[in-house]
Amino acid sequence: MITNVNEGKIIMNEKNLSSISDSEWEVMRIVWTLGETHTNQILKELQAKRDWSDSTIKTLIRRLVQKGWLTAKHEGRRYIYTATVSQTDMMYNEAKALLSRMCDMHKGEVILKLLKDSPISKGDLMKMQEEISQKEKTAPDTVPCNCLKTGSTIC
């Protein structure tokens, strides 16, 4: 599942993400936001958002530790949890896995719709514009459909 560990952070591959449930994502989002955090803080934050019992949340935390997504450090009478992978890396791999199942011909349309529907900062928009300018230099006029083995251009 984990391909490599570098300075305490997991270097991911596309298969890693399949083992993260939606509920586990909720726990990870809390840990990413808080950084190093303890069980009671995770419980407090999640129970403010969800109607989950302490035992449910503790089970999710335990699974994330077992899967290697969180580290647990015993400190006094409590555990301190830290994410082993960045939120951006997890989000990228999730999006990449989803796009890999789609027709190449239509990925641009999907990305454009995501851009329209997503809150994005001016700084990120500037970075996107720079990336688009670079990509435009080598982009083909059309992207062929990859749904059929024969390489049809109509999808």
Side-chain angles (χ1 to χ4, degrees):
M1 174 171 56
I2 300 168
T3 56
N4 193 2
V5 176
N6 185 11
E7 296 179 21
K9 297 291 181 185
I10 296 173
I11 298 171
M12 299 178 48
N13 66 26
E14 293 80 8
K15 293 182 182 177
N16 293 31
L17 218 42
S18 63
S19 64
I20 303 293
S21 70
D22 290 346
S23 299
E24 289 167 336
W25 267 93
E26 290 289 327
V27 174
M28 292 299 295
R29 288 180 62 199
I30 299 296
V31 175
W32 284 316
T33 302
L34 298 174
E36 264 195 3
T37 188
H38 54 86
T39 307
N40 288 338
Q41 187 66 36
I42 296 170
L43 291 170
K44 176 185 166 194
E45 295 296 333
L46 274 175
Q47 288 173 338
K49 292 172 59 174
R50 304 279 184 203
D51 187 26
W52 292 347
S53 69
D54 287 5
S55 63
T56 296
I57 296 169
K58 288 177 182 178
T59 297
L60 293 169
I61 293 168
R62 187 180 74 252
R63 286 182 189 161
L64 288 165
V65 170
Q66 289 170 343
K67 292 176 181 183
W69 300 117
L70 293 178
T71 60
K73 180 172 56 176
H74 198 229
E75 193 172 277
R77 298 184 72 197
R78 63 184 182 180
Y79 284 94
I80 303 295
Y81 298 98
T82 308
T84 60
V85 64
S86 76
Q87 183 172 11
T88 303
D89 287 346
M90 290 277 283
M91 292 170 71
Y92 169 76
N93 279 294
E94 178 81 358
K96 187 175 175 183
L98 181 62
L99 286 171
S100 73
R101 297 189 301 266
M102 296 179 185
C103 175
D104 283 350
M105 182 184 282
H106 300 288
K107 287 178 183 175
E109 295 171 47
V110 172
I111 292 169
L112 184 59
K113 285 184 178 190
L114 287 169
L115 177 65
K116 287 179 181 178
D117 293 343
S118 300
I120 301 173
S121 71
K122 287 182 181 182
D124 284 341
L125 288 171
M126 288 175 54
K127 290 176 194 173
M128 287 179 202
Q129 287 172 337
E130 291 171 16
E131 191 65 35
I132 288 169
S133 293
Q134 291 300 312
K135 191 140 181 107
E136 192 173 31
K137 294 175 185 177
T138 58
D141 290 331
T142 60
V143 176
C145 170
N146 64 334
C147 296
L148 304 175
K149 187 173 182 169
T150 59
S152 171
T153 58
I154 297 174
C155 184

